[in-house]
Amino acid sequence: MATTQQSKKRKFVADGVFYAELNEMLTRELAEDGYSGVEVRVTPMRTEIIIRATRTQNVLGEKGRRIRELTGLVQKRWQFAEGSVELYAEKVANRGLCAVAQCESLRYKLIGGLAVRRAAYGVVRFIMESGAKGAEVVIAGKVRGARAKGMKFGDGYFIRTGHPHKLYVDNAIRHVSMRQGMIGIRVSIMLPHDPTGKTGPKKPLPDKVIVHEPKEEPEYV
């Protein structure tokens, strides 16, 4: 974005709006390529935009053509100076633990005409097999018949309240335009604890109790 003198409050709002608009644009553009989120890193030299996706080759395109097109698009839309913005594609380590990737997968299953229960249970099973602690899929709308209803599918252990919910639960919401009307889908994944911080949060759950082995006591004669 063009750098002009602005207050801290306005800067935070502007950064938030930029992220939201960029995320929406990439969601529409890269939906079929397993788009899973974006990260914006601002350095003194340039702004780096890291696109996370399950199929990075499709994001890059033939000989990097597509990523160059996206870079040009971002540059024109947000008035970045020439060469001050750079886009990178990063592969998602475990797509089974990425709510956005699973939500898109479920969306395409429903568009393809797969039965709702079968599609939802397939996604839940795949998430659990990928090492998640818990999974929940909610599908709402005119699923069958003229009356709209909500269906909930879940498995495993799931936290719904407090700060651990913010740390451990990954959510994604998508809308599917079906012949009978609009259907809403929400995928929530309870991530596992990972001390390295790669597949889940480093911080353990506050109610986790570790029982240590008792120390060897010396015998007194």
Side-chain angles (χ1 to χ4, degrees), residues 204-221:
L205 287 165
D207 60 349
K208 191 172 192 273
V209 178
I210 300 164
V211 179
H212 297 286
E213 285 292 316
K215 287 180 183 175
E216 286 286 324
E217 284 189 23
E219 284 185 29
Y220 296 106
V221 181

Side-chain angles (χ1 to χ4, degrees), residues 10-208:
R10 280 180 186 274
K11 189 188 180 305
F12 275 106
V13 172
D15 287 350
V17 170
F18 168 62
Y19 178 84
E21 284 186 11
L22 179 69
N23 188 39
E24 191 179 338
M25 186 196 90
L26 293 171
T27 303
R28 290 179 188 205
E29 192 71 33
L30 307 170
E32 290 180 28
D33 306 312
Y35 171 74
S36 306
V38 67
E39 189 186 332
V40 180
R41 288 182 194 159
V42 181
T43 61
M45 296 295 288
R46 62 174 178 264
T47 304
E48 293 175 355
I49 296 167
I50 295 130
I51 300 165
R52 285 194 298 275
T54 53
R55 291 190 284 276
T56 45
Q57 206 53 51
N58 295 16
V59 175
L60 292 167
E62 199 180 332
K63 294 177 182 174
R65 185 181 160 191
R66 196 172 186 198
I67 200 107
R68 283 199 299 275
E69 284 175 4
L70 287 169
T71 306
L73 204 67
V74 169
Q75 208 166 289
K76 279 195 178 77
R77 166 64 185 83
W78 285 283
Q79 284 117 43
F80 279 103
E82 190 73 42
S84 66
V85 65
E86 206 151 321
L87 268 71
Y88 302 99
E90 187 184 89
K91 196 171 176 68
V92 174
N94 190 346
R95 68 189 181 96
L97 297 178
C98 176
V100 177
Q102 291 312 307
C103 211
E104 286 291 351
S105 160
L106 180 57
R107 183 167 164 255
Y108 282 103
K109 280 180 182 178
L110 294 175
I111 289 168
L114 195 65
V116 174
R117 281 174 189 273
R118 195 169 175 193
Y121 277 124
V123 167
V124 168
R125 192 171 68 246
F126 182 73
I127 292 167
M128 293 307 289
E129 283 170 2
S130 298
K133 271 195 166 185
E136 186 185 72
V137 172
V138 179
I139 300 175
K142 285 191 200 173
V143 180
R144 279 174 70 189
R147 188 157 183 112
K149 62 174 179 176
M151 295 170 87
K152 201 180 269 189
F153 308 88
D155 194 7
Y157 173 64
F158 210 85
I159 286 182
R160 297 184 188 278
T161 54
H163 186 58
H165 174 84
K166 291 180 182 176
L167 287 178
Y168 275 84
V169 179
D170 188 17
N171 287 303
I173 295 168
R174 290 289 180 273
H175 303 95
V176 192
S177 182
M178 304 288 276
R179 196 181 58 194
Q180 67 266 34
M182 201 62 111
I183 285 180
I185 53 176
R186 186 180 76 221
V187 174
S188 303
I189 300 171
M190 171 91 176
L191 301 168
H193 167 60
D194 181 17
T196 60
K198 286 177 184 174
T199 57
K202 281 184 180 180
K203 201 174 178 184
L205 287 165
D207 60 349
K208 191 172 192 273

